[in-house]
Amino acid sequence: MSKSYDLKTFKEYSQFDSLKSFNTTIEMFLADHMKDFTKGELVAFKRLVRYSAKYFGVANAKIGTLLKTINE
């Protein structure tokens, strides 16, 4: 049985001090690596980034949740 954790529990793992810093880092990463992703992988990555915006760079969404939102 899996245990659900409050996202706030993982806030300390953020390496970013602002949403702007997080977004800039994502943009720079994609500028260098977007070509390495398939279309589906890129969609999944961008969805994961959205789940990582409340606590910059930290997400704990279940894979089933990610897949469900990607398919919607």
Side-chain angles (χ1 to χ4, degrees), residues 23-53:
N23 286 335
T24 299
T25 300
I26 294 299
E27 289 172 14
M28 291 188 316
F29 173 81
L30 285 176
D32 290 339
H33 298 285
M34 191 179 316
K35 65 187 178 310
D36 301 326
F37 286 89
T38 65
K39 183 179 178 182
E41 290 169 340
L42 189 58
V43 168
F45 179 78
K46 288 182 177 183
R47 181 56 64 172
L48 183 60
V49 167
R50 286 186 180 175
Y51 275 97
S52 303

